[in-house]
Amino acid sequence: MKYLFWGLLMLLNAGYAQSASLITPAANKLDWQLPSGWLVPAETPDELLAEIALHIGHEATERGQTPTQQQLLQAAAKRMEANEQLLYHPQSGAWISIDFSPLRTKESPPTTKTLELSARFALESLGNEEGISELQKDQQVLNLAGAPDTNRITANYKQHGSQTVFSGLIGYIPGEWFFIYATSYPEKAELSAQISTLFESLSFSPKTTP
């Protein structure tokens, strides 16, 4: 996971949402309310790494490859390092990744249509992943504070027989794209309402000029 200048402000009262924030690679600020039961781990939990390694292993098998368990865990760790922040629900194994992608040199900010197409492509790509069946998907606009025209995508499906809910946000703030993806398992804990509340609490503030 990338190390950035980010701050977390936690309330001491158990059972309440926790205020948290981070500074993005382009020096914007993201604030949110972390629901009760969720953690902000400094490193990817071993249980989550094992889960991701399992999926990478299935992908490798489809390509005729036979990596070792150690290689799979290393690949899982590398994949998670691409994210600026991880939120984790230890009771169920649900997780949320927060990733920013700065604009490339001479790249123009995305239009409303570009954001819509990017979200649609993400949904289509999800449907092509290994082991997914009974896919139901939805896409809509969620105008977040500081990030209008953000697209929210939602998918309900089974992956290797396990009921899974994916919910993501794809949007743009000055200088960078953001991709916030939540994966939860309703048979272990129903977290859709919590994730929606967290998404709706997101607030972006542009970097301040000295």
Side-chain angles (χ1 to χ4, degrees):
M1 190 174 300
K2 299 175 185 175
Y3 289 96
L4 301 171
F5 293 101
W6 56 275
L8 294 173
L9 306 175
M10 296 300 184
L11 301 178
L12 298 179
N13 298 29
Y16 290 88
Q18 301 169 329
S19 298
S21 65
L22 66 80
I23 302 301
T24 74
N28 299 299
K29 184 182 179 184
L30 169 60
D31 295 283
W32 73 92
Q33 295 293 317
L34 184 68
S36 175
W38 289 78
L39 304 176
V40 185
E43 300 290 342
T44 305
D46 290 341
E47 296 83 0
L48 180 53
L49 279 179
E51 176 71 19
I52 296 171
L54 180 64
H55 292 301
I56 295 175
H58 288 306
E59 295 167 0
T61 299
E62 287 194 343
R63 295 192 298 268
Q65 301 171 342
T66 56
T68 66
Q69 181 63 17
Q70 184 61 30
Q71 289 173 325
L72 292 173
L73 289 171
Q74 290 174 348
K78 185 175 181 180
R79 181 174 294 186
M80 294 305 294
E81 286 174 0
N83 302 310
E84 271 67 44
Q85 188 62 71
L86 172 68
L87 311 179
Y88 187 62
H89 189 264
Q91 178 187 348
S92 67
W95 55 290
I96 300 173
S97 62
I98 301 177
D99 180 41
F100 295 89
S101 180
L103 289 182
R104 297 185 296 271
T105 303
K106 297 183 179 181
E107 180 183 3
S108 300
T111 64
T112 299
K113 185 64 175 179
T114 301
L115 291 173
E116 178 189 348
L117 290 174
S118 179
R120 187 185 306 171
F121 177 76
L123 270 180
E124 292 174 354
S125 297
L126 178 64
N128 293 328
E129 289 189 8
E130 56 82 29
I132 287 184
S133 62
E134 302 179 23
L135 175 65
Q136 297 178 329
K137 54 188 180 181
D138 180 63
Q139 178 177 343
Q140 57 186 297
V141 174
L142 179 62
N143 287 310
L144 298 175
D149 299 323
T150 295
N151 274 249
R152 176 171 181 174
I153 54 178
T154 305
N156 292 270
Y157 55 90
K158 286 186 177 181
Q159 189 164 25
H160 301 295
S162 177
Q163 193 65 45
T164 305
V165 177
F166 172 87
S167 189
L169 299 176
I170 297 176
Y172 176 79
I173 51 179
E176 58 194 345
W177 289 71
F178 63 86
F179 306 89
I180 302 176
Y181 294 154
T183 303
S184 62
Y185 310 98
E187 293 175 345
K188 297 179 180 179
E190 178 48 69
L191 299 173
S192 295
Q194 277 196 353
I195 292 171
S196 291
T197 298
L198 185 149
F199 280 1
E200 292 164 3
S201 77
L202 294 172
S203 177
F204 293 93
S205 304
K207 67 178 180 180
T208 56
T209 303

